[in-house]
Amino acid sequence: MAAQSCGSTGLAVQVLGSGGPESQDKRASTSYLVWQNGNARVVLDAGGGSALRFGESGAQMSQVDVFLFSHFHVDHSSDFPALIFSSWFEDRNRPLPIYGPEGNEFMPSTTEFVHDLFSDPHGAWRYLSELVEPSTASGGYTLQPHDVAAGSTPVLVFRNGDMALYAVKVIHGAFPALAWLVEIGGKRVVFSGDTNGDGDGLTQLAMNADLFVAHNAVPEGAGGVERRLHMPPSVIGTIAANAHVKQLVLSHRMLRTLGKETETQAEIRRRYSGPIAFANDLDCFPVK
């Protein structure tokens, strides 16, 4: 793929990782890149394999304005240190804001996560501690993690020029999790992250979205733990319809949903009549 062929003009979402936690799906785990006019502006999540896909996309970490996390399961976060270390070799000379959920007994908060990786004296990669200790920062490149105290209605988290970011708390079992709205130049892109779809916060966030990226991690009829963590196609279709989204992209595809695209689409179609696409790694979706 040619460098910056996605989003060279206008706004686009590139799927860096379209899979879940399984290696056998032969996909990178969850990660997305929002392009605007050839610049990579937002990265959301960084699951295993996504650092390689980021390089293949032609993006530069020096361009990225902000890094977002939906939650800190391994398949959404394990390539973060690889991306950050890669960016060490670029000419980034400004801080990188990082936004993600608060913590609980099962998960670190966003600030904890970043410091557990890089802080001295206990960080896993504390040899990079100057990334989180401004007093020793070289060239002004530091990581600036923030915990987002989101509730059941969308909240404005970040604004930078023509870009605004909103988050809402979503239900993903007992794990703190966020869905995100990236608004750039009047266009609205929403990422569900992992959620079982309970409550109407995600519908509010996705209202009139130009592009809605939803996670197709379980088939229709799933029960038990799977269903407590993820929304089935019928729920995806209901949210997409109620929010009047203009385009639906299904990602976080897993072995239990791969091969069931016909059934999944039929279930969604019963509720939502707009365009539906199934994501693969490096797919580019222009925001019309």
Side-chain angles (χ1 to χ4, degrees):
M1 172 170 286
Q4 297 182 10
S5 59
C6 184
S8 56
T9 57
L11 195 67
V13 172
Q14 189 159 29
V15 178
L16 300 182
S18 62
E22 307 147 314
S23 301
Q24 289 75 24
D25 62 14
K26 299 178 177 63
R27 298 164 181 269
S29 298
T30 303
S31 183
Y32 306 103
L33 187 54
V34 179
W35 290 94
Q36 185 189 27
N37 299 328
N39 289 309
R41 296 201 61 187
V42 181
V43 179
L44 188 144
D45 286 346
S50 64
L52 173 62
R53 296 282 182 254
F54 184 91
E56 290 172 334
S57 78
Q60 301 282 330
M61 277 296 293
S62 55
Q63 299 170 338
V64 173
D65 287 316
V66 63
F67 209 111
L68 307 178
F69 281 105
S70 64
H71 65 297
F72 291 110
H73 274 150
V74 172
D75 58 316
H76 293 253
S77 62
S78 67
D79 264 17
F80 178 69
L83 271 177
I84 295 306
F85 190 43
S86 166
S87 69
W88 183 271
F89 295 91
E90 294 183 29
D91 58 355
R92 189 180 183 94
N93 54 12
R94 60 191 169 116
L96 178 64
I98 301 160
Y99 292 91
E102 298 177 304
N104 66 4
E105 64 269 36
F106 303 109
M107 285 281 163
S109 68
T110 303
T111 50
E112 274 185 287
F113 177 78
V114 172
H115 285 101
D116 285 351
L117 292 176
F118 299 119
S119 282
D120 194 47
H122 300 300
W125 289 285
R126 49 190 174 269
Y127 77 102
L128 298 174
S129 61
E130 63 188 79
L131 280 168
V132 290
E133 291 164 11
S135 59
T136 60
S138 57
Y141 178 24
T142 52
L143 305 178
Q144 296 181 335
H146 305 271
D147 302 335
V148 176
S152 57
T153 56
V155 59
L156 175 66
V157 174
F158 178 86
R159 191 182 288 281
N160 177 11
D162 64 342
M163 177 169 69
L165 306 175
Y166 298 82
V168 71
K169 180 181 178 183
V170 291
I171 306 303
H172 185 42
F175 305 100
L178 301 172
W180 283 98
L181 162 61
V182 177
E183 197 172 79
I184 299 181
K187 298 292 186 182
R188 299 163 60 84
V189 179
V190 172
F191 301 89
S192 74
D194 286 1
T195 175
N196 65 10
D198 285 359
D200 65 350
L202 179 55
T203 304
Q204 290 179 44
L205 189 76
M207 195 59 66
N208 300 313
D210 296 285
L211 184 69
F212 178 39
V213 180
H215 284 185
N216 178 214
V218 297
E220 198 60 34
V225 173
E226 291 179 11
R227 180 63 187 87
R228 288 199 294 276
L229 293 172
H230 297 286
M231 52 184 174
S234 57
V235 174
I236 295 173
T238 298
I239 292 171
N242 290 344
H244 310 291
V245 305
K246 296 181 180 69
Q247 187 181 0
L248 175 62
V249 171
L250 300 173
S251 190
H252 199 297
R253 303 168 66 194
M254 295 179 63
L255 296 179
R256 59 199 180 201
T257 54
L258 289 165
K260 294 189 172 73
E261 289 78 15
T262 303
E263 301 94 311
T264 294
Q265 186 155 325
E267 204 60 55
I268 292 171
R269 276 275 169 259
R270 290 170 59 190
R271 297 155 179 88
Y272 171 72
S273 57
I276 301 170
F278 289 89
N280 297 305
D281 289 10
L282 292 177
D283 279 357
C284 181
F285 296 96
V287 180
K288 302 182 179 72

